[in-house]
Amino acid sequence: MSKHNKKDKFPLRTEILALTPAEQHTAICEYIHSSLVQSFADKHTQLDYGNFCTVIEELGIQADDVNAATDTLFKNFKKDFNIHFYYFEEKIESINGLALVVNKNIIDLFSPPSSELASKPFFSEKYWPWKMGNVEKNIDKSNEDITFVLSCPRSGSTIFRLILAAHPQLFSPPELHLLPFNSMGSRAEEINKNGFEWMKFGVAEALMEAEGIKRKEALKAVNTMAANDMPVVDVYRHLQEKIGDRVLVDKTPFYSCHPQWLKRAATMFPKAKFIFLTRHPVGMINSFVKLRLKELTHNSFGCYSENPWHLGEKWWLTGNKNINDFVESLSKPRSLFLRYEDLVSDTHSSMSDVCNFMNVPFNEKILNPYAETDKNTTKGIGDPNIMNHSTIDASMADSWKTQNLPHPLSSQSIELANQLGYHFDV
Ligand code: A3P
């Protein structure tokens, strides 16, 4: 073993990157093989490189054991390579196949070749999982107070949600994913058809918290809402009824993907307030790529690129532009602008502005969101790494300063970033 740099948190990854392509593949196959052998230590030690699942089945190893072994493997990928795998990637059933995916990701994420500008268009209706339809038609309205946190994914929205959730007069559950749909029936249909299971759980988690019910009961309630094709505005109403005087906050970064979804929020809730949370493009794009959001979103939602870095920029530009255009179309007192970097580096001042805007008194509890938050409420859909921190981490404001992009940002991104208060030379 070579001597590693003490600061290198992922020496194995560094070691693999130093090998030739053929050696990399062999090393990763061996790594996966040895992790599986450890998992099945007392059952079998000779796993086939071609198709380990068939071999496992033939040996009579239980499906639960296979799942546990895959789980361990994914945890090891995170620990040794800092690569996040998603549950649906369990379908990769051979060591060779999995090694190819891991190898490609180690290179794409941590040693990407330089590339040209991201291709245009940045956004196209062509890359979309479902038809928009006419969302403004027959839209039912609610006069309730509600605040929407609008941001691109990976812009610090989960820590912001936890900060808000720590305020006794606010109710800020995990991502609801309601606005893209007219009713719970069509929502369930699209989620199932597209394999976006992760969109499902926020409503159930909100019900668990609002009604003090167990997960099973909450999931049953969500299924009943779908079976009855409940309009989404009634789901909001139901939650608002259950939380009493507290103000509902819906932070769902995916709303920023489509201007119609944003417009729908304003039409459905004429009294709604909007907080525009943004982040430095270099920080957001790095975060987007490292969490492999390309895989989670199946490369749809209006932006497309095979290059994860280009896709990250497309999401940053599209989302921030959609939100910026939307808030500019509103009357001034309905929106507040907030930068992630300010939120984490000067939380007191940023949150004073937020509380003022939301018309609630400042409360010291919001400065210590992890102490105020029930462990369960941190589990919901959002940043899976939220518990890597235990306080609001001010140093994260500067993370982009030590990060790079393998391609130059487009002039459109630079222009918008400058407009949002980041400083780029044009
Ligand atoms: P990195 O991936 O750059 O670390 P979102 O919640 O919108 O997905 O945003 C995720 C980003 O918020 C992550 O960025 C994460 O580190 C950051 N974040 C999460 N918890 C934080 C905390 N306690 N303090 C500061 N930043 C935090």
Side-chain angles (χ1 to χ4, degrees):
M1 283 264 155
S2 58
K3 279 194 178 166
H4 304 300
N5 177 348
K6 269 194 183 153
K7 279 188 188 152
D8 187 353
K9 287 205 246 164
F10 305 98
L12 200 56
R13 188 180 75 199
T14 310
E15 213 168 273
I16 286 175
L17 278 169
L19 301 173
T20 65
E23 289 169 342
Q24 287 182 0
H25 183 72
T26 309
I28 298 168
C29 279
E30 278 166 8
Y31 172 93
I32 297 172
H33 184 261
S34 87
S35 171
L36 290 173
V37 166
Q38 268 179 31
S39 290
F40 299 123
D42 52 338
K43 291 173 179 131
H44 190 62
T45 50
Q46 292 184 356
L47 291 165
D48 190 294
Y49 272 25
N51 189 337
F52 63 82
C53 280
T54 313
V55 176
I56 287 163
E57 261 169 41
E58 280 167 7
L59 288 168
I61 296 175
Q62 300 296 311
D64 279 358
D65 290 337
V66 177
N67 290 345
T70 317
D71 223 47
T72 306
L73 199 51
F74 286 6
K75 280 188 187 133
N76 288 344
F77 291 158
K78 181 85 190 166
K79 176 171 65 68
D80 290 329
F81 306 134
N82 196 19
I83 298 181
H84 183 92
F85 267 73
Y86 293 96
Y87 61 93
F88 51 81
E89 292 178 278
E90 282 171 13
K91 65 179 185 292
I92 307 168
E93 289 180 347
S94 75
I95 293 179
N96 273 325
L98 194 52
L100 288 171
V101 176
V102 173
N103 203 350
K104 180 168 173 8
N105 276 282
I106 290 183
I107 292 167
D108 282 356
L109 274 54
F110 302 103
S111 186
S114 308
S115 64
E116 298 297 312
L117 290 165
S119 65
K120 289 180 189 168
F122 286 92
F123 174 83
S124 165
E125 291 288 351
K126 201 167 91 187
Y127 309 117
W128 208 256
W130 56 81
K131 280 213 166 71
M132 284 301 113
N134 188 347
V135 292
E136 298 311 312
K137 227 181 191 174
N138 304 327
I139 209 157
D140 199 2
K141 294 186 180 167
S142 165
N143 230 9
E144 294 287 334
D145 287 335
I146 186 167
T147 297
F148 288 92
V149 173
L150 307 177
S151 75
C152 282
R154 313 308 295 162
S155 300
S157 60
T158 311
I159 183 61
F160 185 42
R161 177 181 83 70
L162 290 194
I163 293 172
L164 295 169
H167 195 293
Q169 285 168 254
L170 304 177
F171 181 79
S172 171
E175 300 173 12
L176 294 175
H177 292 279
L178 285 170
L179 281 182
F181 311 97
N182 281 321
S183 66
M184 292 299 276
S186 57
R187 180 177 182 271
E189 198 179 306
E190 294 299 350
I191 286 178
N192 292 336
K193 197 171 79 193
N194 289 287
F196 295 141
E197 262 74 28
W198 45 271
M199 282 190 169
K200 251 187 199 167
F201 302 111
V203 174
E205 275 148 4
L207 290 174
M208 282 163 68
E209 207 186 327
E211 300 187 34
I213 56 176
K214 292 256 182 311
R215 176 168 298 272
K216 208 170 153 193
E217 214 181 319
L219 287 171
K220 203 171 147 200
V222 176
N223 286 340
T224 308
M225 287 171 172
N228 295 338
D229 202 20
M230 187 188 243
V232 295
V233 69
D234 288 348
V235 181
Y236 281 113
R237 280 200 187 107
H238 177 82
L239 280 173
Q240 284 164 322
E241 205 181 290
K242 297 290 171 191
I243 61 173
D245 290 339
R246 287 177 289 170
V247 175
L248 177 63
V249 179
D250 180 358
K251 92 90 180 159
T252 306
F254 281 76
Y255 295 163
S256 67
C257 293
H258 207 290
Q260 274 191 357
W261 295 350
L262 301 174
K263 206 166 152 203
R264 179 183 282 182
T267 311
M268 200 182 271
F269 295 98
K271 281 165 62 182
K273 291 182 176 177
F274 300 90
I275 301 177
F276 176 7
L277 174 70
T278 193
R279 184 178 184 185
H280 192 285
V282 173
M284 180 274 177
I285 297 168
N286 265 276
S287 183
F288 181 98
V289 171
K290 306 278 161 70
L291 203 64
R292 302 179 66 236
L293 284 197
K294 175 168 168 271
E295 315 310 320
L296 187 72
T297 57
H298 302 191
N299 217 338
S300 55
F301 292 95
C303 297
Y304 178 88
S305 179
E306 279 308 323
N307 178 324
W309 296 89
H310 287 178
L311 189 67
E313 181 186 349
K314 289 183 176 199
W315 274 73
W316 185 89
L317 179 61
T318 303
N320 281 292
K321 185 172 177 337
N322 285 342
I323 303 170
N324 198 45
D325 291 349
F326 171 72
V327 294
E328 279 188 358
S329 74
L330 298 170
S331 59
K332 274 279 172 264
R334 287 187 76 187
S335 71
L336 180 83
F337 177 69
L338 181 62
R339 270 183 297 259
Y340 164 71
E341 293 76 15
D342 299 331
L343 174 70
V344 296
S345 63
D346 190 356
T347 312
H348 198 291
S349 156
S350 298
M351 286 311 295
S352 298
D353 293 347
V354 170
C355 290
N356 236 343
F357 170 71
M358 293 183 79
N359 221 4
V360 292
F362 184 86
N363 188 305
E364 291 291 327
K365 287 184 173 176
I366 59 182
L367 299 177
N368 203 358
Y370 288 87
E372 293 302 322
T373 314
D374 176 334
K375 274 230 163 73
N376 283 327
T377 59
T378 57
K379 277 192 190 144
I381 180 80
D383 181 12
N385 302 327
I386 188 78
M387 295 311 280
N388 289 356
H389 307 268
S390 53
T391 56
I392 301 166
D393 185 348
S395 72
M396 285 296 295
D398 289 335
S399 63
W400 62 272
K401 291 182 183 165
T402 53
Q403 295 170 333
N404 293 307
L405 297 179
H407 68 277
L409 285 176
S410 66
S411 55
Q412 292 99 312
S413 295
I414 290 177
E415 194 185 321
L416 182 59
N418 280 331
Q419 222 176 307
L420 299 178
Y422 299 106
H423 302 291
F424 284 85
D425 291 334
V426 188

